[in-house]
Amino acid sequence: NAGVMQNPRHLVRRRGQEARLRCSPMKGHSHVYWYRQLPEEGLKFMVYLQKENIIDESGMPKERFSAEFPKEGPSILRIQQVVRGDSAAYFCASSPPPTGSAKNIQYFGAGTRLSVL
Amino acid sequence: AQSVTQPDIHITVSEGASLELRCNYSYGATPYLFWYVQSPGQGLQLLLKYFSGDTLVQGIKGFEAEFKRSQSSFNLRKPSVHWSDAAEYFCAVGNQGGKLIFGQGTELSVKP
């Protein structure tokens, strides 16, 4: 049973380019979360999605960032016109629906390290 | 405001010594509490969780944590540290569904 898969593991972009980060949740998980980890900091929540729905985007920057989780395929975190300050590790987590004993147990991928030159 | 504080940025212990990593939280509702471990360049692995019931919870790799509501704490402990425990440890708080709020992390170094 594969875990949460993120790709690419490392991504290098020049300022002004677009970055697309992909996340395939664990089998049977319909909830996806994106977090950003800046150097020397903990993880900061960005967005929470279910299939075809954004549930909570309170942590997303107002501009240039967007996320989707389509009916088919992986979740995508998209960063347009990247700037140096976007350099960070971006982690995806998935969970089953938070009901009963499953509750909110989030399982994390290995992350995508984005470097902006 | 909801927050998690891990007061110790970096801790060094000798192999075989006991370990306690501190975590304090501020959360309006009944918290769900988690400890995750992150090895360099890797993702986060869940060590243990607390939802309700017994306030002393056991996790993987010999770790345990105790929830103390009166102190708003959820400290992680291990009686005897192994060199392979060197990593970064994150405490997090959440609820039934939705985002986790993480502390800044504690980096653990293990001396031979």
Side-chain angles (χ1 to χ4, degrees):
Chain A
N1 188 12
V4 178
M5 303 301 292
Q6 290 188 248
N7 67 81
R9 290 293 307 275
H10 300 275
L11 182 61
V12 180
R13 286 287 178 266
R14 297 190 181 279
R15 281 179 297 171
Q17 291 184 319
E18 178 179 287
R20 280 180 172 250
L21 289 63
R22 294 175 186 77
C23 170
S24 296
M26 286 179 69
K27 187 176 181 180
H29 287 189
S30 56
H31 295 231
V32 164
Y33 311 79
W34 286 93
Y35 294 84
R36 176 164 64 177
Q37 184 179 33
L38 294 169
E40 308 300 324
E41 293 187 15
L43 280 73
K44 297 285 194 274
F45 168 77
M46 299 181 75
V47 63
Y48 166 30
L49 310 107
Q50 294 177 22
K51 289 278 188 181
E52 300 184 283
N53 281 308
I54 297 175
I55 305 303
D56 179 358
E57 57 181 348
S58 59
M60 287 283 269
K62 294 285 185 283
E63 298 177 344
R64 302 187 297 108
F65 284 72
S66 63
E68 63 175 4
F69 188 17
K71 187 176 180 181
E72 301 291 337
S75 175
I76 305 287
L77 179 67
R78 182 181 178 210
I79 311 172
Q80 296 178 289
Q81 300 175 329
V82 296
V83 301
R84 289 221 173 104
D86 297 332
S87 296
Y90 291 83
F91 289 94
C92 171
S94 72
S95 75
T99 56
S101 61
K103 299 222 171 34
N104 182 21
I105 300 175
Q106 296 182 21
Y107 298 87
F108 283 79
T112 294
R113 272 86 181 159
L114 172 65
S115 297
V116 179
L117 304 179
Chain B
Q2 301 168 349
S3 65
V4 176
T5 301
Q6 293 180 246
D8 305 305
I9 295 173
H10 192 185
I11 284 182
T12 300
V13 300
S14 298
E15 190 167 16
S18 63
L19 171 71
E20 182 169 26
L21 302 183
R22 295 183 290 166
C23 172
N24 293 96
Y25 66 90
S26 173
Y27 201 74
T30 300
Y32 293 160
L33 293 155
F34 307 83
W35 274 98
Y36 285 87
V37 61
Q38 183 182 31
S39 297
Q42 301 300 311
L44 277 71
Q45 182 182 21
L46 180 67
L47 284 176
L48 48 75
K49 60 193 181 296
Y50 171 79
F51 292 145
S52 64
D54 192 346
T55 56
L56 184 63
V57 294
Q58 302 297 319
I60 61 171
K61 304 184 180 185
F63 286 93
E64 66 178 27
E66 186 171 11
F67 170 57
K68 292 185 177 180
R69 185 184 297 275
S70 62
Q71 298 178 20
S72 297
S73 69
F74 189 57
N75 294 349
L76 182 71
R77 299 195 293 251
K78 185 169 184 177
S80 178
V81 168
H82 188 262
W83 64 266
S84 61
D85 293 325
E88 187 142 24
Y89 291 80
F90 291 97
C91 180
V93 64
N95 57 22
Q96 179 71 10
K99 66 184 177 186
L100 294 179
I101 299 166
F102 283 86
Q104 305 92 314
T106 297
E107 185 177 355
L108 174 65
S109 298
V110 180
K111 291 190 299 186

